[in-house]
Amino acid sequence: MKFIKNFFKNFTKKKFICPGAFSQVYIYPDGRVFLCPDCLMSPDAEIGNLNNNTFDEIYNSKKAVKIRKEILKGKYNYCSPQQCFSKSNYNIRLTPFKNIEYKSIQKSYPKMVCIGADAECNVNCIMCRPNISRLNRDELNEYNKKINNLYMPILKNAQEITLSTTADPFASRNTRLLMKTAAERYPNLKFNLLTNGILCDKFNCDDTLITDRISNIMVSIHAGDEETYNKIVKNGNFSKVETNLKWLKSLKDEKKIKGLFLAFVVSSKNYTNIQKFIEFAKEHNAVALFWGCFDWGGNLNNSDEPLNILNPTHPKFEDFINILNSIELETEYSHFSQPIRNIKSFYSAKKKEN
């Protein structure tokens, strides 16, 4: 579509260079390495695998150098418009590093390391996985070995570490050990957390040694009330999440954490709850982040109805557009991914033409 092809044109016009490929890496549980977590929807963006090569070989591999060279020329062919928030500077707010070397070959290790350590989680969201994920003893031992053998050396130049994009950092036994080890090894390291919020309380933050070292927290809730939450998050606990959000809000109010974000994957199960979720975020001094429903390995089939409400052929699509048109998408407390904003603009313009 035209708006996808033109997605990154403003970067070139404004001579903007996205800092992601020059300041961070994302490490997937199976060892795959990317220069940015937002490019995961583009498989060609993989720069190497830690199971086959050392991090030194991967970080300045032919693919990594090629991607950086293209970005320096204003080309973002390896980036994913569906995932990227950089166009409206969301990524920049989470990448506040100074003295970034905008060179194709990097002499120092990344300032931000994003690790999806394993898949252990205490809930199963309908668009993510059909069951609660738990490692067996042998699998856990293998993941634990990676902490000192692989991850700690990669963090030697890092200012921030982001955990965990593939599970819950507090439900994952491996990630809890990773947090403790990193906190002890690197006393100046800050932590960004992606969590479902159920175990994100003072006790668990104290236990993992990160309470006073949290930079940003993103809590995946996908609903502004308990009824809608229970449709999306199976085996969840909305009341516990609300209690923990009050504690996180107090940290944000006291400026002990920099950013508090609430995640909402828009689907046919929760799209009518969008405005309520924005109000919910405002109540907790947080920013509501919205993006579309993607098929992560066939998991969208776990629902009793098609979840991808962004698909124009969806039977509820017209109702979804009507709701979008009634909402101010970009506010102090809300941010929508580019595809959702493009959909609203396209169909609003189409409606005026008619």
Side-chain angles (χ1 to χ4, degrees):
M1 295 181 74
K2 186 176 180 181
F3 62 76
I4 293 295
K5 293 180 181 179
N6 294 335
F7 181 76
F8 292 103
K9 273 191 175 180
N10 73 313
F11 286 179
T12 306
K13 289 178 181 178
K14 297 180 181 180
K15 296 183 179 180
F16 168 82
I17 300 176
C18 178
F22 306 89
S23 63
Q24 60 185 8
V25 291
Y26 175 83
I27 302 171
Y28 209 64
D30 59 8
R32 289 178 294 154
V33 182
F34 295 80
L35 289 175
C36 172
D38 287 338
C39 68
L40 281 178
M41 298 301 288
S42 176
D44 290 339
E46 179 184 333
I47 64 170
N49 192 304
L50 289 170
N51 292 318
N52 304 322
N53 298 95
T54 66
F55 184 74
D56 284 315
E57 293 170 333
I58 292 171
Y59 195 47
N60 283 308
S61 65
K62 290 183 179 179
K63 177 59 71 65
V65 172
K66 181 179 180 180
I67 292 173
R68 295 190 192 107
K69 281 183 176 179
E70 292 203 0
I71 292 175
L72 289 171
K73 295 177 183 177
K75 298 179 181 179
Y76 292 83
N77 298 327
Y78 289 92
C79 299
S80 171
Q82 290 87 352
Q83 290 288 89
C84 186
F85 278 97
S86 291
K87 188 172 181 181
S88 40
N89 290 327
Y90 167 73
N91 231 11
I92 306 308
R93 293 203 299 271
L94 295 186
T95 313
F97 309 117
K98 297 180 180 179
N99 303 320
I100 295 175
E101 288 190 358
Y102 289 96
K103 297 180 179 179
S104 59
I105 297 177
Q106 293 289 294
K107 295 181 180 179
S108 60
Y109 273 25
K111 291 178 168 61
M112 178 187 286
V113 178
C114 182
I115 299 176
D118 62 49
E120 283 198 326
C121 195
N122 53 332
V123 302
N124 51 305
C125 299
I126 61 172
M127 63 282 184
C128 184
R129 66 191 78 208
N131 301 297
I132 288 178
S133 179
R134 197 73 171 165
L135 301 177
N136 62 42
R137 182 177 297 179
D138 290 339
E139 290 171 331
L140 180 61
N141 287 338
E142 285 302 309
Y143 275 108
N144 286 346
K145 288 177 184 178
K146 294 180 181 180
I147 294 175
N148 284 308
N149 295 343
L150 289 179
Y151 301 145
M152 287 305 109
I154 297 172
L155 291 170
K156 66 181 182 181
N157 193 49
Q159 297 176 22
E160 295 185 2
I161 180 174
T162 297
L163 301 162
S164 164
T165 59
T166 52
D168 184 86
F170 299 104
S172 164
R173 293 165 291 173
N174 171 250
T175 308
R176 292 180 75 102
L177 180 59
L178 174 56
M179 284 192 280
K180 285 185 179 181
T181 306
E184 291 174 339
R185 183 80 60 87
Y186 300 105
N188 295 320
L189 186 66
K190 296 290 186 179
F191 291 79
N192 298 315
L193 305 176
L194 285 73
T195 172
N196 58 52
I198 296 172
L199 297 174
C200 188
D201 54 24
K202 188 177 186 305
F203 175 84
N204 284 303
C205 287
D206 285 348
D207 183 62
T208 51
L209 310 179
I210 67 168
T211 302
D212 298 321
R213 298 169 58 179
I214 300 171
S215 184
N216 300 283
I217 293 185
M218 183 185 296
V219 184
S220 296
I221 309 176
H222 315 298
D225 58 55
E226 187 169 12
E227 181 181 359
T228 306
Y229 174 86
N230 289 336
K231 294 178 183 178
I232 308 294
V233 184
K234 304 302 179 181
N235 299 293
N237 189 327
F238 188 79
S239 177
K240 179 64 174 173
V241 173
E242 277 195 301
T243 298
N244 292 341
L245 280 176
K246 290 179 182 178
W247 176 64
L248 294 175
K249 178 182 182 298
S250 70
L251 296 183
K252 176 73 182 303
D253 292 343
E254 296 169 11
K255 297 184 179 180
K256 292 182 178 180
I257 62 174
K258 184 165 52 178
L260 178 57
F261 305 90
L262 306 187
F264 189 110
V265 174
V266 181
S267 73
S268 59
K269 295 285 190 180
N270 62 3
Y271 72 96
T272 59
N273 210 230
I274 290 176
Q275 183 59 52
K276 197 166 190 177
F277 190 71
I278 295 174
E279 295 167 359
F280 184 79
K282 184 177 181 180
E283 178 185 341
H284 293 89
N285 193 17
V287 178
L289 300 179
F290 297 87
W291 57 84
C293 208
F294 297 98
D295 192 346
W296 300 314
N299 292 309
L300 295 189
N301 297 324
N302 297 327
S303 176
D304 56 359
E305 65 175 288
L307 292 178
N308 188 9
I309 194 71
L310 274 66
N311 187 335
T313 64
H314 196 286
K316 296 180 180 179
F317 183 75
E318 186 175 347
D319 187 38
F320 169 60
I321 293 299
N322 290 333
I323 287 176
L324 278 188
N325 287 334
S326 69
I327 293 172
E328 184 180 357
L329 300 192
E330 299 302 304
T331 71
E332 181 183 356
Y333 296 99
S334 63
H335 178 79
F336 286 73
S337 67
Q338 189 65 36
I340 295 177
R341 287 182 286 149
N342 286 333
I343 286 173
K344 178 178 179 178
S345 298
F346 178 80
Y347 284 94
S348 294
K350 190 174 182 181
K351 187 176 181 180
K352 290 179 180 178
E353 289 176 2
N354 297 332

